[in-house]
Each structure stands twice: as C-alpha cells, then as structure tokens.
Amino acid sequence: MAKHSKTANTVKTARIISVASQKGGVGKTATVTNMAVGLVSLGYKTAIIDMDAQGHIALSFGLKKNNLKKTIYDVLIAEATMKDIKQTAFGVDLYLSNNSLSDLGPKVTAHLNAKLFPAPKYLLKKAIAQIKTQYDYILIDTSPSNDMQTMNSLLASTDIIIPVLPEGLSIDGIYETIFLVKGIQEQGAKLNILGILPTMVQDHTNLHHVKLQELRRKFAESPDIKVFDTVIKRAIRHGLAQSDGEPDINKAPEYLSFVKEVLAIA
Ligand SMILES: Nc1ncnc2c1ncn2[C@@H]1O[C@H](COP(=O)(O)OP(=O)(O)OP(=O)(O)O)[C@@H](O)[C@H]1O
Ligand SMILES: [Mg+2]
C-alpha cells in the first residue's frame, strides 16, 4: 500500500490502526499514546479514538475523563458528532471515552432499539466516515475483551497492531487476538495484521530473552504476521509519562523507532 503523504492540501484517507490484545496490561494504551505523538513529531496529522471505557487516553494526555460532557459513546448512539467531542492535546486530536462507553453493548443490541441500530457492530465505522479525510493516521485504543467496543474497533480498522509481553500468558493473548481477527476477516473486513510489538521487555532476564527468541522463531514461519524488529523496554519513564499525562516522544525513543518501522510498511 502507498505511504501516506504529509502534504496538507491533498485529500487524505486515514490509515486506521487498532492497537488490540485480548490480554490486559500489555501496553496498548502506552503504544497508542506514544505512536500518536511520534507520528505528530514527524508531521503526520493524527487522531486517537478511545474505545476502552477505562478512559485511559484522557488520563495519558492530562485530561479528566469524568469532566467530559460528550464522548465517543454519544457519537456512536448518534447523539453527538465527532466534531462535537474533538479535543486536541500535544498536537493529537482526541475522541475520548469514559465509563459511559460500557453501556454501548446493552444499548445498541436491545430489542427495543433494533430499528435505531440495525448494524450495531458498524457504528464506529460510520463515525469515522465523518473524519477520515482529515487525518493520515487514526489510532484506536481498545479494551482487553471481545466486546461490542472491540468488534466496532476492528470492523472499522484497516490494520491492527498486537502488543505482547514476552511471557507465557501474554503470548497466549496473541493467539486469541489472531483468532478474533480471522473471524473479522471472515465477515468480509479487510483487516491487515501489521505486526506484533514486544512491550515491557526486560531483555536482561532469561525469561524475556528466551520467550522473545521463541516468538520470533515461531512467526518467522508465518508469511503474513511479522514480529516488529523494534522492542519496547520496560522503563519507569513510560509508566510515569502516562500517569503524569505528559506524553513526550523524546523520552520514548523506542516508540519513535517503532513509528518509523510502521511507516516503512504502512
Ligand atoms: N514500556 C513500559 N515500561 C514500563 N511501564 C509501562 C510500559 N508501558 C506501559 N507501562 C505501564 O504499564 C501499565 C499498563 O500499560 P497500558 O495501560 O499501556 O496497558 P494496556 O494494555 O492498555 O492495559 P489495559 O488492558 O488495562 O487497557 C500502565 O501503568 C503503564 O503506564
Ligand atoms: Mg489500555
């Protein structure tokens, strides 16, 4: 696929990338946040959509999730537009969420609402249609479960990145996620697996070293799934950047290398 242009005057069609894993706490939100500020630092017009009811993107950008008047939930149920909820921080346009998003499944699948939401899994795709000509990249942060939010995210995406900790249970999360993606592809969606990103790597430990090698060996045999060359190390500064709400790509150089690796293929 052609690389995205940074030229301001061309009509864009955003590459839409979900960062997803069925396992919790593997660095999905950290990856979305740092990728976004990395893309902005290279001149790409970038947005984030938070499809996790935990609302961690707001916190990662120093915003209060409980003060939001309208969120992506209101857009999905057609009570707001993307323009209504847009905020900008650190050069990234943000379409935020909070706990209200957990009502999505019950609301849009209720028998009573069947006429209002005839295609409940495609609500995000419809919402993104409002903005996709404005961006080079739209990144979607997802929750660690196979819920209505995640289905909407994957069905709206062109690509998926799967973060993984090189440890037993987290590695298992890759297979669950790939299984989910295959199901989505069978529904006719052209969802491309961009690759697997090792995160929170402590390569001085034997466990991570061995598991990372195993992972690379395993997927070297797979023609369509790559493990990125870049690995994100476990570092206190990543955790602090998130809790302080001040993303800074200069403090996350591995993520800048990662963005460059993604740009070379997307
Ligand atoms: N490379 C890293 N090194 C150290 N800490 C990290 C790193 N990446 C993320 N963290 C911290 O680890 C925790 C989990 O990361 P994060 O929230 O990005 O994971 P997640 O996959 O989005 O979790 P969830 O499934 O709950 O949404 C957070 O406290 C975060 O600040
Ligand atoms: Mg998260």
Side-chain angles (χ1 to χ4, degrees):
M1 201 173 292
K3 278 191 216 170
H4 275 85
S5 151
K6 288 188 270 184
T7 318
N9 294 330
T10 52
V11 175
K12 304 173 197 288
T13 298
R15 198 86 183 238
I16 302 160
I17 305 175
S18 274
V19 177
S21 164
Q22 295 296 94
K23 282 283 169 289
V26 294
K28 293 181 290 296
T29 305
T31 298
V32 168
T33 302
N34 286 296
M35 271 187 82
V37 291
L39 284 163
V40 165
S41 77
L42 296 174
Y44 291 94
K45 186 96 170 90
T46 306
I48 295 177
I49 301 175
D50 192 352
M51 284 296 283
D52 184 352
Q54 294 182 95
H56 284 166
I57 291 293
L59 304 181
S60 301
F61 282 81
L63 299 165
K64 292 202 166 66
K65 60 179 180 170
N66 293 328
N67 290 356
L68 304 170
K69 287 199 187 85
K70 299 260 182 185
T71 67
I72 192 71
Y73 172 69
D74 300 283
V75 179
L76 297 171
I77 63 164
E79 291 188 359
T81 64
M82 290 297 263
K83 203 171 162 195
D84 294 335
I85 68 159
K86 183 176 104 174
Q87 302 207 35
T88 305
F90 299 88
V92 184
D93 285 356
L94 302 171
Y95 300 89
L96 297 171
S97 78
N98 58 24
N99 201 34
S100 62
L101 188 59
S102 48
D103 292 339
L104 185 71
K107 172 97 179 175
V108 300
T109 55
H111 189 59
L112 217 65
N113 288 333
K115 278 205 176 120
L116 271 177
F117 306 111
K121 289 192 259 176
Y122 291 89
L123 297 168
L124 183 62
K125 195 177 170 98
K126 225 168 102 189
I128 288 177
Q130 298 172 28
I131 58 165
K132 71 177 178 189
T133 57
Q134 299 168 29
Y135 298 104
D136 297 305
Y137 291 92
I138 297 174
L139 308 178
I140 304 175
D141 191 19
T142 62
S143 72
S145 61
N146 173 11
D147 55 15
M148 183 57 77
Q149 293 86 298
T150 300
M151 290 311 279
N152 265 273
S153 303
L154 296 183
L155 285 163
S157 296
T158 54
D159 303 87
I160 174 175
I161 289 168
I162 307 173
V164 64
L165 249 89
E167 293 174 5
L169 287 176
S170 175
I171 289 182
D172 189 51
I174 301 177
Y175 298 104
E176 288 175 41
T177 311
I178 291 172
F179 182 74
L180 188 65
V181 171
K182 300 271 181 229
I184 297 275
Q185 288 166 338
E186 277 160 21
Q187 294 178 49
K190 284 204 190 90
L191 180 61
N192 168 47
I193 301 179
L194 266 183
I196 295 167
L197 173 67
T199 56
M200 303 190 207
V201 175
Q202 295 172 287
D203 49 10
H204 57 280
T205 68
N206 209 21
L207 173 67
H208 280 198
H209 186 71
V210 169
K211 287 288 172 191
L212 199 54
Q213 277 188 334
E214 254 179 50
L215 195 67
R216 290 200 187 284
R217 217 176 302 123
K218 185 127 202 132
F219 283 95
E221 295 157 14
S222 154
D224 54 343
I225 303 178
K226 113 186 211 106
V227 179
F228 288 106
D229 294 336
T230 314
V231 303
I232 309 298
K233 294 195 174 163
R234 179 180 287 279
I236 288 169
R237 67 197 142 84
H238 290 302
L240 286 179
Q242 235 171 338
S243 53
D244 292 350
E246 291 191 4
D248 180 354
I249 197 62
N250 297 316
K251 292 189 183 150
E254 311 103 294
Y255 271 112
L256 190 58
S257 306
F258 174 58
V259 165
K260 289 179 179 164
E261 199 181 344
V262 169
L263 286 171
I265 55 167

